[in-house]
Amino acid sequence: MKLHVSSDLHYSFQPGTGAVVSVHAATSPDQTVISESLEIDPLPELVFDPADARGERRFRGEFSGDVRIRYEAVVDNGARSLLPSAATRHAWPDLPTEALVFLLPSRYCSSDRFISFAEKTFGTIPEGGAMVQAVLSWLYENIEYAFGISSSDTTAEHTFVERKGVCRDFTHLGITLCRALNIPARAVSAYAMGLEPQDFHAVFEVYLENAWWLVDPTGLVPVENLVRIGVGRDAADIAFLSTTSPCSLIWQTVKVLPAV
Amino acid sequence: MKLHVSSDLHYSFQPGTGAVVSVHAATSPDQTVISESLEIDPLPELVFDPADARGERRFRGEFSGDVRIRYEAVVDNGARSLLPSAATRHAWPDLPTEALVFLLPSRYCSSDRFISFAEKTFGTIPEGGAMVQAVLSWLYENIEYAFGISSSDTTAEHTFVERKGVCRDFTHLGITLCRALNIPARAVSAYAMGLEPQDFHAVFEVYLENAWWLVDPTGLVPVENLVRIGVGRDAADIAFLSTTSPCSLIWQTVKVLPAV
Amino acid sequence: MKLHVSSDLHYSFQPGTGAVVSVHAATSPDQTVISESLEIDPLPELVFDPADARGERRFRGEFSGDVRIRYEAVVDNGARSLLPSAATRHAWPDLPTEALVFLLPSRYCSSDRFISFAEKTFGTIPEGGAMVQAVLSWLYENIEYAFGISSSDTTAEHTFVERKGVCRDFTHLGITLCRALNIPARAVSAYAMGLEPQDFHAVFEVYLENAWWLVDPTGLVPVENLVRIGVGRDAADIAFLSTTSPCSLIWQTVKVLPAV
Amino acid sequence: MKLHVSSDLHYSFQPGTGAVVSVHAATSPDQTVISESLEIDPLPELVFDPADARGERRFRGEFSGDVRIRYEAVVDNGARSLLPSAATRHAWPDLPTEALVFLLPSRYCSSDRFISFAEKTFGTIPEGGAMVQAVLSWLYENIEYAFGISSSDTTAEHTFVERKGVCRDFTHLGITLCRALNIPARAVSAYAMGLEPQDFHAVFEVYLENAWWLVDPTGLVPVENLVRIGVGRDAADIAFLSTTSPCSLIWQTVKVLPAV
């Protein structure tokens, strides 16, 4: 599908605040950036980091005072495939080196503590694809989508206990359960068409049968409505804005529409 | 049943260590202490606190160097009743004042975070007694009794995630789920016949239909084989030994046998 | 000083919500309630618990829909003394039984983990009163009073790391450090004259030289401007409103003025 | 200095356990591997991952039953320089892309929560090198090297509260404080000559003035006695052995001696 995505961030920064901004659509095998534009007002000197292995593109600089950052792009994600139930799980010796780190526990995803639960609940499912689908069904049945329960401190363990959360929490718990099943899983920030209210979305990817497959653990957005931005071990890695000092939101809008 | 209980604690204390010792069998309506003896060598000056509302008896003093504390008693717990499925849950206005504190979250029992899970899993069971029995069955089916996973830092949340623990962990999670269901629940330290290896045991009590009912969440010991020692909000309150400075174990034995 | 205190709580409850309300000024040796009134609209059947050992008075009942609870009192706290530097710390054998529980760690106050820090920082101060004053100075110098950092999940450990918080957080960290120094300490909810914005206040008490002494760890309110409401092991125990189901605030005001 | 390092791991694995082993000395600009040997008995099929950006070399395979892994090498680390006090801290736009991830909080290093403390304690020190040295001095003065306090669950926050720990804990807290000061910092596993008892060691590196500088936060081992093995965001990333199922230690030895 061709999607028109845009984000418009308006923040107030203390003088000389270092900031990393991650709002560009990724240039990855499963999506093509047809056109894009970036406007920053006022414009500081910027460094554009080279795209990482997964096509994530970030830039950084020193910001001061009120700054507005507007990004727009038309993206075609027509090359994206749906995770098939039959996709097989790899044994460790067969995983690519770069997938290994996504098996490790991370700040919000303490997968090492979930091994008993994951094995007992999902361990007898024969294929990796069906295993991940069972994890997604479990999330759908057991976790309620609810605002105001979680914060940026909320871990997969908290969500597993409290049974409520937002996209970030579903993503952390989904990643955690997959890693506990020895399936590499990583967090993805995305533009998402049809999300209410419109905002950046957090989803995740699993590595099965020689490929990364995108899934939305909230079940709110079909994968063809997603445009990938950044990839990381968990949400801490894929913030659209990280800064060296606290900054304050003035306003922010995110929009995703079908591109004509 | 009449039980002969004994504990023999041998510890090394730094000079002038304040210590509270809680090894006496409680003198409570559901158990009678027929005879008992206490020997401490060397014997410091001791203060015996009056028995609390539940019959718990503790003593304290300043200990220095190697100290041996031997307690022995014959106890009849023949007055204890088993929790009936039909026992009713109280509405708040009907609870006795002293039960209210056992509805609150405590250090190891963050019951406020388990409300969604508890309501969804047990909330439709009509009677309080059956509700508690369902909690016990859930623990039995989902938590594995295992040494070496948990420590004195382990909370009910950890055990709920890791699905493994010892008597203390079963007790904390059981208490937490009951409180989340608005059933007062409190931790009980006990002598337990038939426990392997023999040691102090942690169990809990629930308040239903005008009475406290003792249950063993590990399912290892029938309630007629238990002799209650102390009662508290969670395990932190019912340690058999609390001290103002670290002390070291030399050895310790606990024994429970049928009294002839 | 004679103070006129009032609180006006307007909440919306789900049908049949059990609630415990703790807004009455305590009737304690260090303060006298000269007159008071309570209005609840609509008025459910209520149970008034007897005053606890410290004079705390609570009531409870089942509330449904919009309810307004207005409490007003004139209180004389003229009998309250200031903590003297020379107040002595008790050895364990000399503490009254009822003070012992306030030496134990509790949910938000894991004093057992702070022993090294407390001993190193305050351990050489000879008298208990001066020790507590040093704890209060340390809080004043190292913790910034700031809104929006902490929540009802914030523990003394969080505040010790983040170095920011509100009255509840100062209270938890102050209690924790005192207990780590073997000084019994307990949380107190209070009406406070001069607090900006006006709200319920959290302070604490320490047990030294045969008495409980009230202190305000934020340094914002002199003790003669405080009217004690409730006492507990930490803030979880002294909420002005605890309920069996979530309820929503409509509005709430707290006022404290000099009584003519 | 030329060092002769060796490790001899003897473990028992459940059938078909996936394992990643990281015991090879890194082939990095600051150390040269002169000779080395690896013996595994019995020998499974292995995959050797290519050295990562920092020269870390790992291998993996499926292990079953009793397996012994012996690694030996002679390494020259003569090219390593000591961190100078005057080394300057980079502004964000000037950092290399690959250093950015080492500014982010990670599982055991919640640097975002330490900003107030770090700024207040170290923030006025003008140069990056002196800032890191002040962090190391602070660790030396405030944290006691002690076994038996920490576990693999222990975070920098725990160590900051408890003020005790082992090399892993010193490393986590040191990394955390540096990141809170906007200095990239990463965990390093190492062979260390002179460590008592001999074992793998955890140290860290900071990025200042266009280079990574190795430091030992325990102060136990001079950097010329260290041989780097692996690099990661915190200790979770640099385990010498990670497995898909629990395995049991039979025995393990680590040795580091001057090479003749």
Side-chain angles (χ1 to χ4, degrees):
Chain A
M1 189 181 302
K2 282 189 197 165
L3 296 167
H4 179 271
V5 305
S6 66
S7 58
D8 193 347
L9 314 181
H10 199 168
Y11 280 81
S12 176
F13 298 93
Q14 294 169 28
T17 297
V20 174
V21 183
S22 181
V23 295
H24 280 71
T27 53
S28 52
D30 63 350
Q31 66 186 24
T32 307
V33 176
I34 295 172
S35 67
E36 65 179 355
S37 68
L38 176 69
E39 263 177 77
I40 302 182
D41 180 24
L43 186 64
E45 257 181 72
L46 296 179
V47 176
F48 284 83
D49 290 320
D52 72 4
R54 194 63 198 161
E56 176 171 359
R57 297 175 297 154
R58 293 178 305 188
F59 61 89
R60 46 200 165 106
E62 279 196 4
F63 294 77
S64 301
D66 280 15
V67 180
R68 190 169 170 189
I69 302 167
R70 301 164 74 177
Y71 174 76
E72 255 184 288
V74 175
V75 179
D76 186 348
N77 65 12
R80 184 165 303 143
S81 320
L82 286 182
L83 169 66
S85 301
T88 54
R89 192 163 55 147
H90 293 271
W92 267 25
D94 304 331
L95 282 169
T97 303
E98 63 274 15
L100 290 180
V101 75
F102 297 109
L103 278 174
L104 293 177
S106 59
R107 185 176 190 196
Y108 296 102
C109 301
S110 57
S111 46
D112 43 350
R113 299 194 185 129
F114 281 85
I115 291 171
S116 289
F117 174 77
E119 274 303 320
K120 184 169 177 190
T121 312
F122 309 107
T124 57
I125 298 169
E127 295 301 348
M131 215 172 225
V132 171
Q133 285 161 352
V135 167
L136 298 174
S137 297
W138 186 93
L139 290 170
Y140 184 77
E141 278 157 35
N142 289 282
I143 310 295
E144 183 189 337
Y145 195 94
F147 291 99
I149 305 297
S150 55
S151 73
S152 65
D153 277 341
T154 304
T155 64
E157 295 189 45
H158 292 138
T159 304
F160 185 67
V161 168
E162 303 218 19
R163 306 277 156 146
K164 291 181 179 177
V166 295
C167 60
R168 185 180 189 283
D169 306 307
F170 279 80
T171 289
H172 284 157
L173 187 48
I175 287 173
T176 301
L177 293 172
C178 289
R179 290 183 191 163
L181 294 163
N182 289 314
I183 297 171
R186 62 189 188 186
V188 175
S189 57
Y191 292 99
M193 189 166 69
L195 197 64
E196 272 306 319
Q198 282 226 330
D199 200 350
F200 292 109
H201 198 36
V203 293
F204 72 99
E205 287 181 317
V206 292
Y207 191 84
L208 292 170
E209 202 162 321
N210 302 309
W212 287 101
W213 309 88
L214 196 64
V215 297
D216 179 354
T218 65
L220 294 173
V221 181
V223 297
E224 65 267 25
N225 286 6
L226 295 172
V227 169
R228 180 191 293 105
I229 300 170
V231 167
R233 287 167 71 170
D234 53 32
D237 290 1
I238 52 171
F240 59 88
L241 181 62
S242 316
T243 59
T244 52
S245 312
C247 60
S248 27
L249 172 67
I250 299 173
W251 46 255
Q252 167 175 322
T253 59
V254 173
K255 278 190 205 154
V256 189
L257 296 167
V260 206
Chain B
M1 189 181 304
K2 282 187 196 167
L3 296 166
H4 180 271
V5 305
S6 65
S7 58
D8 193 347
L9 314 181
H10 199 168
Y11 280 81
S12 177
F13 298 93
Q14 295 169 27
T17 298
V20 174
V21 183
S22 181
V23 295
H24 280 71
T27 52
S28 51
D30 64 349
Q31 67 186 23
T32 307
V33 176
I34 296 171
S35 67
E36 65 180 352
S37 67
L38 175 69
E39 263 177 78
I40 302 182
D41 179 26
L43 185 65
E45 258 181 74
L46 295 179
V47 175
F48 286 82
D49 289 320
D52 71 4
R54 194 63 198 162
E56 176 172 359
R57 297 175 298 153
R58 293 177 306 188
F59 60 91
R60 45 198 166 108
E62 279 196 6
F63 294 78
S64 300
D66 280 16
V67 180
R68 189 168 171 190
I69 302 167
R70 302 164 73 177
Y71 174 76
E72 255 183 286
V74 175
V75 179
D76 186 348
N77 65 12
R80 184 165 302 142
S81 322
L82 286 181
L83 169 67
S85 302
T88 53
R89 194 164 52 147
H90 293 271
W92 266 25
D94 304 331
L95 282 168
T97 304
E98 62 274 15
L100 289 180
V101 75
F102 298 109
L103 277 175
L104 292 177
S106 59
R107 185 176 189 192
Y108 296 103
C109 301
S110 56
S111 45
D112 45 349
R113 299 194 186 131
F114 282 85
I115 291 171
S116 290
F117 174 77
E119 274 303 318
K120 184 169 178 190
T121 312
F122 309 108
T124 57
I125 297 169
E127 294 302 344
M131 216 172 225
V132 172
Q133 285 161 352
V135 167
L136 297 175
S137 298
W138 186 92
L139 290 170
Y140 183 78
E141 277 156 35
N142 289 283
I143 311 295
E144 183 189 338
Y145 195 93
F147 291 100
I149 305 297
S150 56
S151 73
S152 64
D153 278 340
T154 304
T155 64
E157 294 187 46
H158 292 137
T159 303
F160 185 68
V161 168
E162 304 216 20
R163 305 277 155 147
K164 290 179 180 179
V166 294
C167 59
R168 187 181 188 282
D169 306 308
F170 279 79
T171 290
H172 284 157
L173 187 48
I175 286 171
T176 301
L177 293 172
C178 289
R179 290 184 191 162
L181 294 163
N182 289 314
I183 297 171
R186 63 190 187 184
V188 175
S189 57
Y191 292 99
M193 189 166 69
L195 197 65
E196 269 308 319
Q198 282 227 327
D199 201 350
F200 291 109
H201 197 37
V203 293
F204 72 99
E205 286 180 317
V206 291
Y207 191 85
L208 291 170
E209 201 163 322
N210 302 310
W212 288 100
W213 308 89
L214 197 63
V215 297
D216 179 354
T218 65
L220 294 173
V221 181
V223 297
E224 64 266 25
N225 287 5
L226 295 171
V227 169
R228 180 190 293 107
I229 300 170
V231 167
R233 287 167 70 169
D234 53 33
D237 289 2
I238 52 169
F240 58 89
L241 182 62
S242 316
T243 60
T244 52
S245 312
C247 61
S248 28
L249 172 67
I250 301 173
W251 47 257
Q252 167 175 323
T253 60
V254 173
K255 277 189 204 154
V256 189
L257 296 166
V260 205
Chain C
M1 190 181 302
K2 281 189 197 166
L3 297 166
H4 179 271
V5 306
S6 65
S7 58
D8 193 348
L9 315 180
H10 199 167
Y11 280 81
S12 177
F13 297 93
Q14 295 169 28
T17 297
V20 173
V21 183
S22 180
V23 294
H24 280 71
T27 52
S28 51
D30 64 350
Q31 67 186 24
T32 308
V33 177
I34 296 172
S35 66
E36 66 180 354
S37 67
L38 176 70
E39 264 176 78
I40 302 181
D41 180 25
L43 184 65
E45 257 180 75
L46 296 179
V47 175
F48 286 82
D49 289 321
D52 71 4
R54 194 63 199 161
E56 176 171 359
R57 297 175 297 153
R58 294 177 305 188
F59 60 90
R60 43 197 166 107
E62 278 196 6
F63 294 77
S64 302
D66 281 14
V67 180
R68 189 167 173 191
I69 301 167
R70 303 165 73 176
Y71 174 77
E72 254 184 288
V74 175
V75 179
D76 186 349
N77 65 12
R80 184 167 301 142
S81 322
L82 285 182
L83 169 66
S85 301
T88 53
R89 195 164 51 147
H90 292 272
W92 267 25
D94 304 332
L95 283 168
T97 304
E98 62 275 16
L100 290 180
V101 75
F102 298 109
L103 279 174
L104 293 178
S106 60
R107 186 177 190 192
Y108 296 102
C109 301
S110 58
S111 47
D112 45 348
R113 299 193 185 130
F114 282 84
I115 291 171
S116 290
F117 174 77
E119 275 302 321
K120 185 170 177 190
T121 310
F122 310 106
T124 58
I125 297 169
E127 295 301 348
M131 217 173 223
V132 172
Q133 285 161 352
V135 167
L136 297 175
S137 297
W138 186 92
L139 290 170
Y140 184 76
E141 277 156 35
N142 289 282
I143 311 294
E144 183 189 336
Y145 195 94
F147 290 98
I149 304 296
S150 56
S151 72
S152 64
D153 277 341
T154 303
T155 64
E157 295 189 44
H158 292 138
T159 303
F160 185 69
V161 168
E162 304 216 18
R163 305 276 156 147
K164 289 180 181 179
V166 294
C167 61
R168 187 181 187 281
D169 307 307
F170 279 79
T171 290
H172 284 156
L173 187 48
I175 287 172
T176 301
L177 293 172
C178 290
R179 290 183 190 162
L181 295 163
N182 289 314
I183 296 171
R186 61 189 188 186
V188 175
S189 56
Y191 293 98
M193 188 166 70
L195 197 65
E196 270 306 318
Q198 282 226 329
D199 200 350
F200 292 110
H201 197 37
V203 292
F204 72 98
E205 286 180 317
V206 291
Y207 191 83
L208 292 170
E209 202 162 320
N210 301 309
W212 287 101
W213 309 89
L214 197 64
V215 297
D216 179 354
T218 65
L220 294 172
V221 182
V223 295
E224 64 266 26
N225 287 5
L226 295 172
V227 169
R228 180 190 292 105
I229 301 171
V231 167
R233 287 168 70 169
D234 53 32
D237 289 3
I238 52 170
F240 57 89
L241 182 60
S242 316
T243 59
T244 52
S245 312
C247 61
S248 27
L249 171 67
I250 300 173
W251 46 256
Q252 167 175 324
T253 60
V254 173
K255 278 190 204 153
V256 189
L257 295 166
V260 205
Chain D
M1 189 181 303
K2 282 188 195 165
L3 296 166
H4 179 270
V5 304
S6 65
S7 58
D8 193 347
L9 315 181
H10 199 166
Y11 280 81
S12 177
F13 297 93
Q14 293 168 28
T17 297
V20 173
V21 182
S22 180
V23 294
H24 280 72
T27 52
S28 51
D30 64 349
Q31 66 185 23
T32 307
V33 177
I34 295 171
S35 67
E36 65 179 353
S37 69
L38 176 70
E39 264 177 76
I40 301 182
D41 179 24
L43 186 64
E45 256 181 75
L46 295 179
V47 175
F48 285 82
D49 289 320
D52 71 6
R54 193 65 199 158
E56 175 170 1
R57 296 174 299 153
R58 293 177 307 186
F59 61 90
R60 46 200 164 105
E62 279 197 5
F63 294 77
S64 301
D66 281 16
V67 179
R68 190 169 171 189
I69 301 167
R70 302 165 73 177
Y71 172 77
E72 256 183 286
V74 175
V75 179
D76 186 348
N77 65 12
R80 184 166 303 143
S81 322
L82 285 183
L83 170 66
S85 301
T88 53
R89 194 163 54 147
H90 292 271
W92 267 24
D94 304 331
L95 283 168
T97 304
E98 62 274 16
L100 289 180
V101 76
F102 297 109
L103 279 175
L104 293 178
S106 60
R107 186 177 189 193
Y108 296 103
C109 301
S110 57
S111 46
D112 45 349
R113 298 192 187 133
F114 281 85
I115 291 171
S116 290
F117 174 77
E119 275 304 319
K120 183 168 178 189
T121 311
F122 309 107
T124 57
I125 297 169
E127 295 302 347
M131 215 172 224
V132 172
Q133 286 161 352
V135 167
L136 298 174
S137 297
W138 187 92
L139 290 170
Y140 184 78
E141 278 157 35
N142 289 283
I143 310 295
E144 183 189 337
Y145 195 93
F147 291 100
I149 304 297
S150 56
S151 72
S152 64
D153 277 341
T154 304
T155 64
E157 295 187 46
H158 292 136
T159 303
F160 185 69
V161 169
E162 305 217 18
R163 306 275 155 148
K164 291 181 179 177
V166 295
C167 60
R168 186 181 188 282
D169 306 308
F170 279 79
T171 290
H172 284 157
L173 186 49
I175 287 172
T176 301
L177 293 172
C178 289
R179 290 183 191 162
L181 295 163
N182 289 315
I183 298 171
R186 63 190 189 186
V188 175
S189 56
Y191 292 100
M193 189 166 69
L195 197 64
E196 269 307 320
Q198 283 227 328
D199 201 349
F200 292 110
H201 198 35
V203 292
F204 74 97
E205 286 180 319
V206 291
Y207 191 84
L208 292 170
E209 201 163 320
N210 302 310
W212 287 100
W213 308 89
L214 196 63
V215 297
D216 180 354
T218 66
L220 294 172
V221 182
V223 297
E224 64 266 25
N225 286 6
L226 295 172
V227 169
R228 179 189 293 106
I229 300 170
V231 167
R233 287 168 70 170
D234 54 32
D237 288 1
I238 53 170
F240 58 89
L241 181 63
S242 315
T243 59
T244 52
S245 311
C247 61
S248 28
L249 171 68
I250 301 174
W251 46 257
Q252 168 176 322
T253 60
V254 173
K255 278 189 205 154
V256 188
L257 296 166
V260 207

